[in-house]
Amino acid sequence: MKGIFSGLEKLGLGKLEKVEVFEDASKKENDTQEAKKKAPAATEADFLFEKTYVCPVCDQEFHSKKIRTGKVKLLAADTDLRPKYQYVDCLKYDAVACPYCGYAALDRFFKFMMPAQARLIREHISANFKGLPATDSIYTYDDALERHQLALLNTVIKKAKESERAYTCLKMAWICRGKAESLSEELPNYKIQLKELKQQEKELLENAYTGFETAFSKESFPMCGMDEITVSYLLAELARRIGKFEESSRWISRVLISRDANDRIKNRAREIKELLNKDMHKA
Ligand SMILES: [Zn+2]
């Protein structure tokens, strides 16, 4: 099975493939071939532009593909808050990676860097980093997964807060889901790829749950742009998706009895309560 960090050897960081996002997370094998690249959609490039960044680790300037905000339309969201847009999966463009030193992070965290963290990244990542592979005018799901994987590795190396690690796992899980949805059933190894992606997604969701649960009691709100009720709701749904039914039930109650929660989020919590009841009957 593919581990969260498998494939990093392409970037020169193979030795770090075995690191764990959270210490008590279950160990996974890494291996298997790289998944087939998906053919780029014709219109996606219209939504992109090259944004300039200055790397807080190596001070070099570089460009990264970004979505033009305001151009894309939000269509819906999954029960775990994964946003779905018209024409393009914006989530693919959220991780920013420096092509010179290997520092990468989700856009919202990219510029925040303590000197001690920069030193850790230089020592453990830049020293072995071989550069990013070339991409076409848009990122494939595999390009996106590679960048998010690098961002996640950076969160571990720089000893980022639990919430940042958890959020990076969550975003990467959503990209696995996006890739799974985009796979053509005609692929000869469709079922194998789908199974692998589902496993990878689940592993990432488990790490996201662990991280947000710890962050909930240790960090302050808003957390990654979410207030306390939203994080409670998210924990409820992550717990349900990874089969921690009792925990899920506890978080759902927390949302339902909260005086600060509005009707919209309470209704969503009731929806996942129904899903949870179905899951518990199946189990
Ligand atoms: Zn850099």
Side-chain angles (χ1 to χ4, degrees), residues 120-138:
L120 286 168
I121 291 167
R122 277 193 289 268
E123 271 171 29
H124 297 284
I125 292 181
S126 311
N128 304 303
F129 183 63
K130 286 197 279 196
L132 293 165
T135 60
D136 286 331
S137 57
I138 66 159

Side-chain angles (χ1 to χ4, degrees), residues 201-233:
E201 181 193 325
K202 189 165 178 236
E203 191 189 342
L204 287 158
L205 291 179
E206 281 164 356
N207 275 290
Y209 179 79
T210 304
F212 276 124
E213 192 193 28
T214 310
F216 195 92
S217 51
K218 268 173 65 175
E219 297 178 26
S220 54
F221 294 92
M223 187 182 288
C224 309
M226 296 179 283
D227 62 18
E228 191 175 331
I229 299 297
T230 308
V231 176
S232 305
Y233 169 86

